[in-house]
Each structure stands twice: as structure tokens, then as C-alpha cells.
Amino acid sequence: MTCIFLPRCLRAWNLFSPQTLVPTPTSFSFLHHSSKNTATRRQHQLSQFEVKQLPWQQEATLYVHWPFCQRRCTYCNFNKYIDRNTDHERMRNCLVTETATLLKLSGVKRIKSIFFGGGTPSLALPSTLHDVIDTVAGLTALGDDAEVTMEANPTSIETSKMKDFKSAGINRISLGVQALNDADLHVLGRDHATDESIQCIKEAIQLFPGHVSADLIFGRPGQTQLSWQQELRNMLEICDNHLSLYQLTLERGTALFKMNEQGKVSMPDADLMAEMYEGAVDMLHDAGFVRYEVSNFARNGAESKHNKSYWNGDQYIGVGPGAHGRFIPQNIDECDYRNVRTHELNCLHPQREARIQTLEPNPWMWEVEHRGHGTRKRTPQSQEDILLELLMSGLRTQQGILESRWKEFAIRSSTLEDVFKESDVVKTLIKEGLLDMDNIGMRVSKRGTSVLDSILPELMNVLSSYYKQQ
């Protein structure tokens, strides 16, 4: 039996005409911005009724990528760069500019949440994050209750900056603890120690009570079930209300992959990793945590609003080097949109696009400075593309895929039952107790979650076959 886990984050070349959008830097200290920021938010404030009436095309979340790190972890293959001389002012200007450009292009009226990921965004200046948040509040409705998360490493240096980040507008922290074991932290190439993590968690909870998440990686070299369970017990004594558990995967090109190839480390086998995961699920359940997604656990309603939007198929805008996005461009000045599949101009009814920003920081900054954005690739998404993504992400959640949500994307009025109910594959999965379907939607069972990596390809084939027959 094997488990399926995604990497740490969703990180979530045809170009449109450049837009001249270069906001001027704010001239006030981020530590004293409350009156202006409050006034800006009031300008775009939506009533509860208006929020409920907004169609999904007019809402989005925002992901902002800070690509720099102090060092590269041995297991990491994310888009990150080691730069000891970061040009903070230039990065700040480019992040603000691209945020404004893409928000105006998307035409969204409300940003539901913001996530600063990386890389290590806690290495950025707090004023940089503030100015991005302020730009969002100046162009869309960003409610006072909007979730604004920042990833951080639990080093003593970054811990000392948390008050400033809170003043900048951050209200939720995601800590990359990864291990409560100094020997394993060394193997993983982390630049903090266990005692730093413990202190950081305590201080974060004081500043952001109920809004602190911690990451742990399992399946580490030489790890046993007993040592993993003890580590979880230690974490449960100090953690807040959200934990994310990620299975370590060996990525080609990383230092840890090479170490394993050379026999310098020994990885747990698949069965042991499955036992570690299932044991962790039971232990967290006993501690009051709900597994609301394969790798994410929360109690007291502390689920990540931002990540839930990804899994629900919502639009998201990606800003920064290598960031990914999914949204419908609404405000295009010139008719330069061409469907890359049919080669037909489609100005009146643009499709949702999968978008990728330029990977490397310096080329990305050059493009933003000259065109207002660093979008490198745009791929129009068909209805089938969107539903396949919803299938892959939605079934990772406890809620599964809601019929009401499916219908919002299924323009041809195909229901979940239309697509899946008569499939022999689906009937077998239901009979084996791995999948549930009713008038509310479709979801995997607890047993099905543990073998989701084998279920998903079969369901994706069913969906693709359905569209081929249409």
C-alpha cells in the first residue's frame, strides 16, 4: 500500500501587450500605515451580500513567490536561489508592479487570501510584504478578515522579525520545522536546530494565536515508526491548531538523491512510510485534529483558507519568479489573445489560462520593469483541463468534489453522475469501499485516501473518455 502526497506547496510563450502599470512606492513607514490602509480597504469594501453574489470569475487568491534562500536544503528542487546580495528595493518594486498588472488584467473584485511562499519569504523586508498587501487592498476588496500567510524558517534571526511582519499585515504563519531531531535536520540541510523551532513556535503562537501552522517531513533517512511517533508526541505538546505532514520524496538532481544513490543514506520502504502516515493520522485524530486534506490537519476550525481555495478549483494569481496562476484574463487592451489549440482569435470570450512567470529572478525583474509583468507562458484551459485539475485536487480533501462546484465548471451541464456513475471502474471502487458518490458529490473514503495515487489515474481516464465521446 502506498500513499500520495504533493510537494510542500503548489508552485501554483505567448505574451499579451504590455501594460504600463508601475505604482509609485509608498512614502510612509509600514509600521505606521493603519489609517491609510484602513481607508483604502473601505474604498473597495464589499458587503456580505455582495460577497455572496460574486461569481467565481470575480474572485481569486494571490500567491507571491520570494525566490531567495540562505541555503539549499538537500531534498529541495523548488525554484529558489542563493543570493547574499539581494536587491530588496528592486524586488519590492517588481513584486508591487506585477501584482498591480495581473490584478487589473484578471478583473477580479475580491482577493480572498494572500500567501507569501518561496524560497524563504521571511528573508524579505517586512516593508516589501506590506507594500504588496497594500497594493492588493488598493485595487480590490481585501477584507479585514482575509487570511494573509507567510512561510518562515524557525531560525532565531527570522523569529526576531515576526512582530514586524505582523505589523506589515501578516496574520498567519507557516513554519518549516520539518523535524524535531537535530541529526535529521543536518541530513536535510536545514539551517535551524530543534531548540530554535520550539522557541519559534512558542513566540509565533503568542503573536498569531490560533493561526500558526507547522510542517513536518516523514520518511526521512533511517527514520523508524517509533521515532516518528515520539516526534509527533513532542510536536503535539507545543503546536498550535494546524499541522502539515509531507512524505519525503527523492527528487533527481538534489543532494539527498545523490546521497541515496551513493549509499550514504538509507530510506524507509513504501510500506513503512504508509504505516508512518496512517499512524500519524490516528494520533492526530486522538488529539482533536481533523484531516481535511491528505497532508493537512486542523483543529478548532484552523483550516488554511488559501490552500482550500486551490483544492476547490478557485482562481489564483501567481506573482514573482516562477509563480503559477489560473485565472480568466478579463481586461485585455488589445485583441491579441489567440487560442493556441485552434489558432482562432477569441477576444469576446477569453478562456481560463494556466500561467507561469519567468523562473530566474533577474530576467523576471527585467521583464516586469519593461512590460509590467513577467508572464512567460500562457496556456488556455479547456473545460476538460479545468475538471481534470478539480478532480486531482478535490479528491485530496475530506469534502471531496461537490456537485454544485462541478456544475460551475461543467458548461455542458454534465453532472458528476453523468461522467462517473455508469463507469465500471467507478462501480468497482464504490463496491470496494474506496469511493463514495451521492447527490452532494464524490469523495474518497478513509481507505481510499491511502491509495489515492492509484485511484486518481483511473478516474482521470474515465473523465477523458467521457469527453472523447462528446
Side-chain angles (χ1 to χ4, degrees), residues 343-366:
H343 302 288
E344 295 175 353
L345 290 175
N346 186 2
C347 306
L348 298 178
H349 304 288
Q351 295 172 256
R352 173 161 154 164
E353 294 179 346
R355 305 171 69 93
I356 304 175
Q357 308 309 102
T358 295
L359 284 173
E360 300 83 1
N362 285 329
W364 170 80
M365 286 189 281
W366 187 93

Side-chain angles (χ1 to χ4, degrees), residues 258-276:
K258 185 176 180 180
M259 292 163 65
N260 184 66
E261 290 282 289
Q262 295 172 341
K264 295 180 179 179
V265 296
S266 176
M267 303 296 294
D269 62 30
D271 287 339
L272 178 54
M273 287 192 183
E275 290 175 13
M276 287 181 179

Side-chain angles (χ1 to χ4, degrees), residues 96-113:
V96 166
T97 297
E98 186 168 70
T99 296
T101 300
L102 296 185
L103 283 177
K104 289 194 173 186
L105 174 69
S106 71
V108 299
K109 294 183 178 179
R110 176 177 177 240
I111 289 294
K112 298 187 291 183
S113 62

